Amino acid sequence: MPNLLMMNQLLNEDILAILEDAAMYAKGEGWKAEEKLFIANLFFEPSTRTRFSFEVAEKKLDLQVLNFSADQSSVLKGETLYDTVKTLEAIGANAVVIRHPQDHYFEELLGKINIPIINAGDGCGHHPTQSLLDLLTIKQEFGSFDGLTVSIHGDIRHSRVARSNAEVLSRLGARVLFSGPKEYKDETNPYGEYVDVDEAIVNSDVVMLLRIQHERHMEKNTNVINEYLEQYGLTKEREKMMKDHAIIMHPAPVNRGVEIDTDLVECERSRIFKQMENGVYVRMAVLKRALQKKTQEEKSNVIYS
Amino acid sequence: MPNLLMMNQLLNEDILAILEDAAMYAKGEGWKAEEKLFIANLFFEPSTRTRFSFEVAEKKLDLQVLNFSADQSSVLKGETLYDTVKTLEAIGANAVVIRHPQDHYFEELLGKINIPIINAGDGCGHHPTQSLLDLLTIKQEFGSFDGLTVSIHGDIRHSRVARSNAEVLSRLGARVLFSGPKEYKDETNPYGEYVDVDEAIVNSDVVMLLRIQHERHMEKNTNVINEYLEQYGLTKEREKMMKDHAIIMHPAPVNRGVEIDTDLVECERSRIFKQMENGVYVRMAVLKRALQKKTQEEKSNVIYS
Amino acid sequence: MPNLLMMNQLLNEDILAILEDAAMYAKGEGWKAEEKLFIANLFFEPSTRTRFSFEVAEKKLDLQVLNFSADQSSVLKGETLYDTVKTLEAIGANAVVIRHPQDHYFEELLGKINIPIINAGDGCGHHPTQSLLDLLTIKQEFGSFDGLTVSIHGDIRHSRVARSNAEVLSRLGARVLFSGPKEYKDETNPYGEYVDVDEAIVNSDVVMLLRIQHERHMEKNTNVINEYLEQYGLTKEREKMMKDHAIIMHPAPVNRGVEIDTDLVECERSRIFKQMENGVYVRMAVLKRALQKKTQEEKSNVIYS
């Protein structure tokens, strides 16, 4: 079953194959659905870019889209995630895309659902298509990951992106630096080295900023937020210290003036909106991987059974 | 006007014609829209399976889908159902699918709306496509309704399904048994005989469980709910007492451990997810009936006017 | 950039060109998208007719629809309108349709967004596609605007429609009368003459009623509302005073029994539902204008850059 749940389940060769497909889609080429295939998008949390990015990807692939939002569903009658997904499978969904606030929500589904599950974000856990679009953006820029220095700035501990990006960038050959407030350190993440913000900025090919997730971990330390930009964020001064060819990334939505000076969001080095564009291509590649294999498996079943 | 409002408005021959069309659709055959036809889905109550079942049915028929939800509409400005439906008609909807919490909501529309109305559930009243998918599931299993014993278990009084299924199964030749808590008896429903749960189970070809509708009639009798499975539900012991060929049905969402032991939901006898699959085919047949006749009428109008 | 923001930005010839295209669409003819183009509908306020009218228009043009609603989006995380629209642009939207409660919300977007913006209503400000559908309805009826008398009744001050309709009807050659409660007078609107309701009714070719926007300006003057129909609304008596050929218009949703006697909503003179039908054609023409020029510009860019 070609699920996509966590980056650490993908081999390097799987990742590179997805990035290659995504690059094809960026050129307007590649597989599209020839029959009517249905994708159910289940978003149990608000989302703009991930949800619409998947919807655009699906429509570009000529897939049929079913947009599920929890607040208009039988989830209000207490239906479990398993029964909801099983229902969508019975009704004809060929794959499900799920965002859910609970870490590892997909564990209750594995082995019991017969259609691919694409994880669009679980709790503070994983967000593999975000990692893949980050990788595509870096690869477009530098051609390879070997020998690059990537610094990840901010709330390392609660970020869906920090852990999976650090793990996968490391094994693809990059060096990872972490930087940010002490209280956001993640002692369980062995894939990067903690350094001072200025040191990180000066040495990076990629400066990857993380969103301060006000809404997620509600430690209302207003002082921290007010002084965040100066102490830990990307100010105009720090931008000037970056290497000539270095780029700025952020998974968005950006807290302008917190993680980054608002004038830098669309500066020449910024790849923030490029990342969003790449998100569509990466998700097309991930959907292709889920559905094409599925179709092949089904064909084999027909032939041999 | 080929509305679909209540099962008791359909002749036996109408029902059998719909089931035949649905069986065609299950094989991947049958009518599809050749021109651009718009269906507005108006759900004034949360729903997963009915709403998505209609949407998949519509898309399989190449229809254009308009998903209306009350909380983002002018209903918030106090617009009546009539004005909302008339608006959708004016804007170009060729049929409307409506779920509404008020019994017989459609009465204020009849004779005043010029597009077919398909009832997707009204209050505690009617839910004809649910009845039709139940009938399709039974017919697939047994070939005919003649001489079958079908027991309906649970909240007979408040169930959209109980009344219309009992009426239609009776006139199609089946014997109907009712079983459940005394307070859920429906003295106005003459189409079945009340028996003890074990007697019902032993004698049935079809064991049809109803959902305990916590959210609908708020008699919070927690004791009843806690002891419901033992006293009135389908336990593992009772399942063993069923006839060899007998099947289990439930309109879902299931309260696992209340109406049925959770392990039985997907057991070999269960047709619960098969019912959901059949829901799509039945709704395709119902939409075909609404739109194909409409198209023919319009063509006649063009010729003779 | 072929935005559509305010009627006063359109020349008479632009307006007439849009109306001509709309008349083509009413006959089932005209441009459709040949490639896959995405339209994002961003509604920050509830709406039935405008939202669905745009969606039907888009689908009739073979456009891909992205329905955004603020309550399921990153707007909940504090994202600005600019960042939301920029995101949709990055993800692949070829145009955005926006309704927003803030007057002139589009000012923060102008010059910074590279896709056309179609204003579907801003605060109490502008609602150009409503004006255009009103104009189409009048033109269908009378062939031209020259020498017509149009009276606008009701809340002149807070109405999106009153100001832009008065301005544009005046310059297209019609005479505009205003009528309604003193407290709803708009001293800043120079395009009409205030007269008594009966005088307005007797002299008009078009009686254009406005909605009492309970939900917008919350002066809960219940007496005014109760006596509104008698004092300022279209009663059956007043309808009899209208010229033989005169028509009734209302942007809807109608407060039946307030602005107009409920029996008149669908009377022979009423064009209220005709207006809604025309809304689809006008929006098709507006979308065509936005996208066709865009496509041409892009082609030019390719050739010359």
Side-chain angles (χ1 to χ4, degrees):
Chain A
M1 179 66 53
N3 293 323
L4 180 69
L5 305 176
M6 305 184 282
M7 286 303 284
N8 60 15
Q9 295 178 330
L10 291 179
L11 302 175
N12 285 3
E13 64 194 61
D14 296 328
I15 292 171
L16 295 173
I18 292 171
L19 298 184
E20 236 169 82
D21 273 336
M24 289 280 284
Y25 284 125
K27 286 190 289 183
E29 298 168 15
W31 175 88
K32 289 187 182 195
E34 280 163 37
E35 30 172 356
K36 222 167 236 176
L37 295 174
F38 287 84
I39 311 298
N41 298 320
L42 281 76
F43 279 73
F44 292 86
E45 289 187 321
S47 163
T48 298
R49 79 213 71 238
T50 305
R51 191 176 106 46
F52 282 105
S53 181
F54 268 109
E55 184 165 346
V56 171
E58 290 154 7
K59 289 182 170 170
K60 286 195 166 185
L61 293 175
D62 290 340
L63 300 168
Q64 306 292 317
V65 179
L66 302 172
N67 281 323
F68 173 97
S69 65
D71 61 342
Q72 288 157 31
S73 77
S74 293
V75 169
L76 296 182
K77 304 181 193 169
E79 190 166 42
T80 63
L81 179 63
Y82 172 75
D83 280 331
T84 299
V85 175
K86 199 78 191 168
T87 293
L88 290 163
E89 179 189 328
I91 285 171
N94 298 94
V96 283
V97 173
I98 306 179
R99 164 167 292 191
H100 199 284
Q102 190 191 310
D103 282 6
H104 288 84
Y105 68 82
F106 41 78
E107 278 174 7
E108 63 168 304
L109 306 176
L110 293 180
K112 302 197 285 183
I113 298 294
N114 300 309
I115 53 176
I117 302 163
I118 297 171
N119 182 10
D122 66 299
C124 304
H126 303 86
H127 192 358
T129 57
Q130 178 69 44
S131 288
L132 288 165
L133 75 87
D134 291 339
L135 294 177
L136 179 61
T137 307
I138 295 171
K139 190 153 188 285
Q140 281 174 344
E141 200 71 33
F142 299 101
S144 120
F145 304 95
D146 229 34
L148 292 179
T149 298
V150 180
S151 57
I152 306 180
H153 297 252
D155 182 353
I156 309 295
R157 185 141 58 104
H158 298 92
S159 163
R160 282 166 173 154
V161 175
R163 188 181 188 83
S164 53
N165 272 9
E167 187 270 333
V168 76
L169 282 165
S170 294
R171 65 173 150 111
L172 287 169
R175 183 167 72 118
V176 177
L177 304 175
F178 293 142
S179 171
K182 263 184 253 170
E183 57 270 39
Y184 291 161
K185 274 200 182 176
D186 179 1
E187 307 291 351
T188 70
N189 185 337
Y191 302 105
E193 182 191 343
Y194 281 87
V195 297
D196 170 73
V197 57
D198 291 331
E199 187 185 337
I201 297 281
V202 167
N203 289 294
S204 293
D205 302 292
V206 178
V207 171
M208 191 178 277
L209 307 168
L210 300 177
R211 177 179 167 77
I212 298 296
Q213 307 245 14
H214 302 304
E215 73 275 7
R216 209 169 268 281
H217 50 94
M218 289 287 156
E219 315 148 36
K220 301 245 179 182
N221 197 333
T222 317
N223 278 346
V224 168
I225 290 172
N226 286 345
E227 298 167 16
Y228 189 91
L229 180 61
E230 276 315 308
Q231 286 196 30
Y232 309 106
L234 189 63
T235 58
K236 288 183 189 175
E237 291 70 36
R238 291 198 181 105
E239 189 269 338
K240 289 187 193 123
M241 295 155 51
M242 288 174 66
K243 292 188 192 173
D244 278 355
H245 63 267
I247 61 170
I248 301 167
M249 294 174 65
H250 188 301
V254 175
N255 293 306
R256 284 167 179 267
V258 181
E259 300 105 28
I260 181 172
D261 187 288
T262 189
D263 290 346
L264 297 177
V265 172
E266 295 175 60
C267 74
E268 215 179 312
R269 291 180 186 285
S270 167
R271 296 295 176 274
I272 298 178
F273 289 102
K274 185 71 183 171
Q275 286 172 274
M276 294 180 205
E277 184 191 334
N278 284 337
V280 175
Y281 306 135
V282 154
R283 287 170 181 122
M284 291 173 82
V286 163
L287 286 160
K288 174 201 165 188
R289 177 175 172 270
L291 293 166
Q292 214 183 21
K293 287 200 189 163
K294 189 80 197 323
T295 311
Q296 283 166 2
E297 278 171 23
E298 276 171 2
K299 275 184 191 151
S300 314
N301 288 344
V302 170
I303 295 168
Y304 297 108
S305 68
Chain B
M1 179 64 53
N3 293 323
L4 179 70
L5 305 174
M6 305 183 280
M7 286 303 286
N8 60 15
Q9 296 178 329
L10 291 178
L11 301 176
N12 286 2
E13 65 196 61
D14 295 330
I15 292 171
L16 295 173
I18 291 171
L19 297 184
E20 236 168 81
D21 273 338
M24 290 279 285
Y25 283 125
K27 285 190 290 183
E29 297 168 17
W31 175 88
K32 290 188 182 193
E34 280 162 36
E35 31 173 355
K36 223 167 234 177
L37 296 174
F38 287 83
I39 311 298
N41 298 318
L42 280 75
F43 280 73
F44 292 87
E45 289 187 320
S47 162
T48 299
R49 78 213 71 238
T50 305
R51 190 176 107 46
F52 282 104
S53 181
F54 268 109
E55 184 166 346
V56 170
E58 290 153 8
K59 289 184 169 169
K60 285 195 168 187
L61 293 175
D62 290 339
L63 300 167
Q64 306 294 317
V65 179
L66 302 172
N67 281 323
F68 172 97
S69 66
D71 60 342
Q72 289 156 28
S73 77
S74 293
V75 169
L76 296 183
K77 304 182 195 168
E79 190 166 43
T80 62
L81 180 63
Y82 171 75
D83 279 331
T84 299
V85 175
K86 199 78 190 168
T87 294
L88 290 164
E89 180 189 328
I91 285 171
N94 298 94
V96 282
V97 173
I98 306 179
R99 164 166 293 189
H100 199 284
Q102 189 191 311
D103 284 5
H104 289 83
Y105 67 82
F106 42 77
E107 278 173 6
E108 64 167 303
L109 306 176
L110 294 179
K112 300 196 286 183
I113 298 294
N114 299 311
I115 52 175
I117 301 163
I118 296 172
N119 181 10
D122 66 298
C124 304
H126 303 87
H127 193 358
T129 56
Q130 178 70 44
S131 288
L132 288 165
L133 74 88
D134 291 340
L135 294 177
L136 178 62
T137 307
I138 296 171
K139 192 155 187 283
Q140 280 174 343
E141 198 72 32
F142 299 103
S144 121
F145 304 93
D146 227 34
L148 291 180
T149 297
V150 179
S151 56
I152 305 180
H153 297 252
D155 182 353
I156 309 296
R157 186 141 57 105
H158 299 93
S159 164
R160 281 167 174 153
V161 176
R163 188 178 187 88
S164 54
N165 272 9
E167 187 269 334
V168 76
L169 282 165
S170 295
R171 67 175 150 110
L172 287 168
R175 184 168 70 117
V176 176
L177 303 177
F178 291 143
S179 172
K182 263 184 254 169
E183 57 271 39
Y184 290 161
K185 273 197 181 177
D186 179 1
E187 307 292 352
T188 70
N189 183 338
Y191 302 105
E193 181 192 345
Y194 282 87
V195 298
D196 170 73
V197 57
D198 291 331
E199 188 184 336
I201 297 281
V202 168
N203 288 295
S204 295
D205 302 293
V206 178
V207 172
M208 190 178 278
L209 307 168
L210 300 176
R211 176 178 169 77
I212 297 297
Q213 307 245 14
H214 304 302
E215 74 276 6
R216 208 170 270 279
H217 49 94
M218 288 288 156
E219 316 148 37
K220 301 245 178 180
N221 196 331
T222 317
N223 278 346
V224 167
I225 290 171
N226 286 344
E227 298 167 14
Y228 189 91
L229 180 62
E230 275 315 308
Q231 286 195 31
Y232 307 106
L234 188 64
T235 58
K236 289 184 187 173
E237 292 70 37
R238 290 196 182 107
E239 188 270 339
K240 290 189 191 117
M241 294 156 50
M242 288 173 68
K243 292 188 192 174
D244 279 355
H245 63 267
I247 61 171
I248 301 166
M249 293 173 66
H250 188 301
V254 175
N255 293 306
R256 286 168 177 265
V258 180
E259 300 107 26
I260 182 172
D261 188 289
T262 190
D263 291 346
L264 297 177
V265 172
E266 294 176 61
C267 73
E268 214 178 314
R269 290 179 187 286
S270 168
R271 296 295 176 275
I272 296 177
F273 288 100
K274 185 72 184 170
Q275 286 173 273
M276 294 179 206
E277 183 191 334
N278 284 337
V280 175
Y281 306 135
V282 154
R283 288 171 180 123
M284 291 172 84
V286 163
L287 287 160
K288 174 201 165 189
R289 178 176 171 269
L291 293 167
Q292 215 183 21
K293 286 198 187 165
K294 189 77 197 327
T295 312
Q296 284 166 2
E297 277 170 23
E298 276 171 2
K299 277 184 190 151
S300 313
N301 288 343
V302 170
I303 294 166
Y304 297 108
S305 69
Chain C
M1 180 66 52
N3 293 324
L4 180 69
L5 304 176
M6 305 184 281
M7 286 304 284
N8 60 17
Q9 296 178 329
L10 292 178
L11 301 176
N12 287 3
E13 65 195 61
D14 295 329
I15 292 171
L16 296 173
I18 291 171
L19 297 184
E20 235 169 81
D21 273 336
M24 290 279 284
Y25 283 125
K27 286 190 288 183
E29 297 167 16
W31 175 87
K32 291 187 181 193
E34 280 162 37
E35 32 171 354
K36 222 168 236 176
L37 296 174
F38 287 82
I39 312 299
N41 298 319
L42 281 75
F43 280 72
F44 292 86
E45 289 187 320
S47 161
T48 299
R49 82 213 68 239
T50 305
R51 190 176 106 47
F52 282 104
S53 182
F54 268 109
E55 184 166 347
V56 170
E58 290 154 7
K59 289 182 171 171
K60 284 194 168 185
L61 292 175
D62 291 339
L63 300 168
Q64 306 293 316
V65 179
L66 302 173
N67 280 322
F68 172 96
S69 66
D71 60 342
Q72 288 156 30
S73 77
S74 293
V75 170
L76 296 183
K77 304 183 195 167
E79 191 166 41
T80 62
L81 180 63
Y82 172 75
D83 279 331
T84 300
V85 174
K86 199 76 191 168
T87 294
L88 290 163
E89 180 189 328
I91 286 171
N94 299 93
V96 283
V97 174
I98 306 180
R99 164 165 293 190
H100 198 285
Q102 188 191 312
D103 283 6
H104 289 84
Y105 68 81
F106 40 78
E107 279 174 5
E108 63 168 304
L109 305 177
L110 293 179
K112 301 197 285 183
I113 299 294
N114 300 310
I115 52 176
I117 302 163
I118 297 171
N119 182 9
D122 67 298
C124 304
H126 303 87
H127 192 359
T129 57
Q130 178 70 43
S131 289
L132 288 165
L133 74 88
D134 291 339
L135 295 177
L136 179 62
T137 307
I138 294 171
K139 190 155 190 283
Q140 280 174 344
E141 199 72 31
F142 301 101
S144 121
F145 304 94
D146 227 33
L148 292 181
T149 298
V150 180
S151 57
I152 305 181
H153 297 252
D155 182 354
I156 309 296
R157 185 142 56 106
H158 299 93
S159 164
R160 282 168 173 151
V161 176
R163 189 180 186 85
S164 53
N165 272 9
E167 187 268 336
V168 75
L169 282 164
S170 295
R171 66 174 149 113
L172 288 168
R175 184 168 70 118
V176 177
L177 303 176
F178 293 141
S179 171
K182 262 183 256 171
E183 57 271 39
Y184 291 161
K185 272 198 182 178
D186 179 1
E187 306 292 350
T188 71
N189 184 338
Y191 302 104
E193 181 191 345
Y194 283 86
V195 297
D196 170 74
V197 56
D198 291 331
E199 188 185 337
I201 297 282
V202 167
N203 289 295
S204 294
D205 302 293
V206 178
V207 172
M208 191 178 278
L209 307 168
L210 300 176
R211 175 179 169 76
I212 297 296
Q213 308 244 16
H214 302 304
E215 73 276 6
R216 210 170 268 279
H217 49 95
M218 288 289 158
E219 315 148 36
K220 301 244 179 184
N221 196 332
T222 317
N223 277 345
V224 167
I225 289 171
N226 287 344
E227 296 167 15
Y228 189 91
L229 180 62
E230 276 316 308
Q231 285 195 32
Y232 308 106
L234 189 63
T235 58
K236 288 184 189 173
E237 292 68 37
R238 292 197 181 106
E239 186 271 338
K240 288 188 192 117
M241 294 156 51
M242 288 173 67
K243 291 187 190 174
D244 279 355
H245 62 267
I247 61 170
I248 301 166
M249 293 174 65
H250 189 300
V254 175
N255 293 306
R256 286 167 177 267
V258 180
E259 299 106 27
I260 182 171
D261 188 289
T262 189
D263 291 346
L264 298 177
V265 172
E266 295 175 61
C267 75
E268 214 177 314
R269 290 179 186 285
S270 168
R271 296 296 175 273
I272 298 177
F273 289 101
K274 186 72 183 170
Q275 286 172 274
M276 294 181 206
E277 185 191 332
N278 284 338
V280 175
Y281 307 135
V282 155
R283 289 172 180 122
M284 290 172 83
V286 164
L287 287 160
K288 174 201 164 189
R289 178 176 170 269
L291 293 167
Q292 215 183 20
K293 286 199 190 163
K294 188 80 196 327
T295 311
Q296 284 164 2
E297 278 171 24
E298 277 171 2
K299 276 182 191 151
S300 315
N301 288 344
V302 171
I303 294 167
Y304 298 107
S305 68

mmCIF file of all heavy atoms in Angstrom, chain C residues 48 81 87-88 93 114 187 193 259 282 294 304-305:
data_model
loop_
_atom_site.group_PDB
_atom_site.id
_atom_site.type_symbol
_atom_site.label_atom_id
_atom_site.label_comp_id
_atom_site.label_asym_id
_atom_site.label_seq_id
_atom_site.Cartn_x
_atom_site.Cartn_y
_atom_site.Cartn_z
ATOM 1 N N THR C 48 -25.592 33.286 -0.493
ATOM 2 C CA THR C 48 -26.092 32.175 -1.294
ATOM 3 C C THR C 48 -25.999 32.529 -2.755
ATOM 4 O O THR C 48 -25.317 31.887 -3.534
ATOM 5 C CB THR C 48 -27.553 31.833 -0.962
ATOM 6 O OG1 THR C 48 -27.645 31.443 0.391
ATOM 7 C CG2 THR C 48 -28.033 30.676 -1.833
ATOM 8 N N LEU C 81 -5.374 39.125 4.522
ATOM 9 C CA LEU C 81 -5.980 38.922 3.213
ATOM 10 C C LEU C 81 -4.898 38.876 2.135
ATOM 11 O O LEU C 81 -4.918 38.028 1.242
ATOM 12 C CB LEU C 81 -6.970 40.059 2.922
ATOM 13 C CG LEU C 81 -7.665 39.963 1.570
ATOM 14 C CD1 LEU C 81 -8.511 38.713 1.476
ATOM 15 C CD2 LEU C 81 -8.525 41.194 1.324
ATOM 16 N N THR C 87 -0.946 33.538 -1.523
ATOM 17 C CA THR C 87 -0.833 32.078 -1.428
ATOM 18 C C THR C 87 -1.618 31.407 -2.552
ATOM 19 O O THR C 87 -1.110 30.509 -3.229
ATOM 20 C CB THR C 87 -1.380 31.602 -0.073
ATOM 21 O OG1 THR C 87 -0.524 32.099 0.951
ATOM 22 C CG2 THR C 87 -1.443 30.095 0.004
ATOM 23 N N LEU C 88 -2.850 31.837 -2.742
ATOM 24 C CA LEU C 88 -3.669 31.223 -3.788
ATOM 25 C C LEU C 88 -3.063 31.478 -5.166
ATOM 26 O O LEU C 88 -3.093 30.608 -6.031
ATOM 27 C CB LEU C 88 -5.107 31.735 -3.683
ATOM 28 C CG LEU C 88 -5.819 31.193 -2.438
ATOM 29 C CD1 LEU C 88 -7.059 32.007 -2.118
ATOM 30 C CD2 LEU C 88 -6.193 29.727 -2.625
ATOM 31 N N ALA C 93 -3.969 29.773 -8.655
ATOM 32 C CA ALA C 93 -5.210 30.448 -9.037
ATOM 33 C C ALA C 93 -4.943 31.439 -10.162
ATOM 34 O O ALA C 93 -3.955 32.172 -10.136
ATOM 35 C CB ALA C 93 -5.817 31.172 -7.832
ATOM 36 N N ASN C 114 -0.702 39.480 -8.903
ATOM 37 C CA ASN C 114 -0.552 39.408 -10.361
ATOM 38 C C ASN C 114 -1.688 38.680 -11.076
ATOM 39 O O ASN C 114 -1.535 38.278 -12.220
ATOM 40 C CB ASN C 114 0.778 38.741 -10.691
ATOM 41 C CG ASN C 114 1.933 39.518 -10.127
ATOM 42 O OD1 ASN C 114 2.021 40.726 -10.330
ATOM 43 N ND2 ASN C 114 2.796 38.864 -9.383
ATOM 44 N N GLU C 187 -26.391 61.878 1.777
ATOM 45 C CA GLU C 187 -26.157 63.229 1.257
ATOM 46 C C GLU C 187 -24.965 63.260 0.301
ATOM 47 O O GLU C 187 -24.786 64.201 -0.468
ATOM 48 C CB GLU C 187 -25.908 64.226 2.413
ATOM 49 C CG GLU C 187 -26.987 64.257 3.486
ATOM 50 C CD GLU C 187 -28.325 64.819 2.980
ATOM 51 O OE1 GLU C 187 -28.355 65.356 1.850
ATOM 52 O OE2 GLU C 187 -29.340 64.693 3.697
ATOM 53 N N GLU C 193 -32.530 62.137 -7.193
ATOM 54 C CA GLU C 193 -33.332 63.159 -6.536
ATOM 55 C C GLU C 193 -34.270 62.469 -5.553
ATOM 56 O O GLU C 193 -34.922 61.472 -5.905
ATOM 57 C CB GLU C 193 -34.143 63.862 -7.631
ATOM 58 C CG GLU C 193 -35.037 64.984 -7.174
ATOM 59 C CD GLU C 193 -35.982 65.403 -8.315
ATOM 60 O OE1 GLU C 193 -35.707 65.005 -9.487
ATOM 61 O OE2 GLU C 193 -36.990 66.078 -8.043
ATOM 62 N N GLU C 259 -39.851 45.022 2.511
ATOM 63 C CA GLU C 259 -39.639 45.895 1.356
ATOM 64 C C GLU C 259 -40.768 45.762 0.334
ATOM 65 O O GLU C 259 -41.012 46.656 -0.476
ATOM 66 C CB GLU C 259 -38.318 45.545 0.653
ATOM 67 C CG GLU C 259 -37.094 45.693 1.502
ATOM 68 C CD GLU C 259 -36.540 44.351 1.939
ATOM 69 O OE1 GLU C 259 -36.731 43.340 1.260
ATOM 70 O OE2 GLU C 259 -35.922 44.316 3.004
ATOM 71 N N VAL C 282 -23.870 37.531 -16.528
ATOM 72 C CA VAL C 282 -23.001 38.688 -16.318
ATOM 73 C C VAL C 282 -21.658 38.251 -15.731
ATOM 74 O O VAL C 282 -20.593 38.741 -16.135
ATOM 75 C CB VAL C 282 -23.720 39.695 -15.400
ATOM 76 C CG1 VAL C 282 -22.729 40.558 -14.660
ATOM 77 C CG2 VAL C 282 -24.683 40.549 -16.211
ATOM 78 N N LYS C 294 -6.041 38.221 -19.727
ATOM 79 C CA LYS C 294 -4.897 37.643 -19.030
ATOM 80 C C LYS C 294 -4.143 36.680 -19.944
ATOM 81 O O LYS C 294 -2.929 36.762 -20.079
ATOM 82 C CB LYS C 294 -5.377 36.920 -17.766
ATOM 83 C CG LYS C 294 -4.264 36.453 -16.861
ATOM 84 C CD LYS C 294 -3.750 37.600 -16.030
ATOM 85 C CE LYS C 294 -2.408 37.337 -15.372
ATOM 86 N NZ LYS C 294 -2.145 35.976 -14.963
ATOM 87 N N TYR C 304 7.410 38.384 -26.526
ATOM 88 C CA TYR C 304 8.319 39.536 -26.495
ATOM 89 C C TYR C 304 9.372 39.470 -25.397
ATOM 90 O O TYR C 304 10.175 40.361 -25.281
ATOM 91 C CB TYR C 304 7.534 40.829 -26.363
ATOM 92 C CG TYR C 304 6.626 41.053 -27.544
ATOM 93 C CD1 TYR C 304 5.256 40.895 -27.433
ATOM 94 C CD2 TYR C 304 7.166 41.381 -28.792
ATOM 95 C CE1 TYR C 304 4.426 41.100 -28.526
ATOM 96 C CE2 TYR C 304 6.356 41.564 -29.878
ATOM 97 C CZ TYR C 304 4.982 41.428 -29.742
ATOM 98 O OH TYR C 304 4.175 41.600 -30.820
ATOM 99 N N SER C 305 9.380 38.480 -24.576
ATOM 100 C CA SER C 305 10.343 38.474 -23.473
ATOM 101 C C SER C 305 11.349 37.341 -23.626
ATOM 102 O O SER C 305 11.275 36.566 -24.552
ATOM 103 C CB SER C 305 9.618 38.336 -22.142
ATOM 104 O OG SER C 305 9.039 37.067 -22.027
#
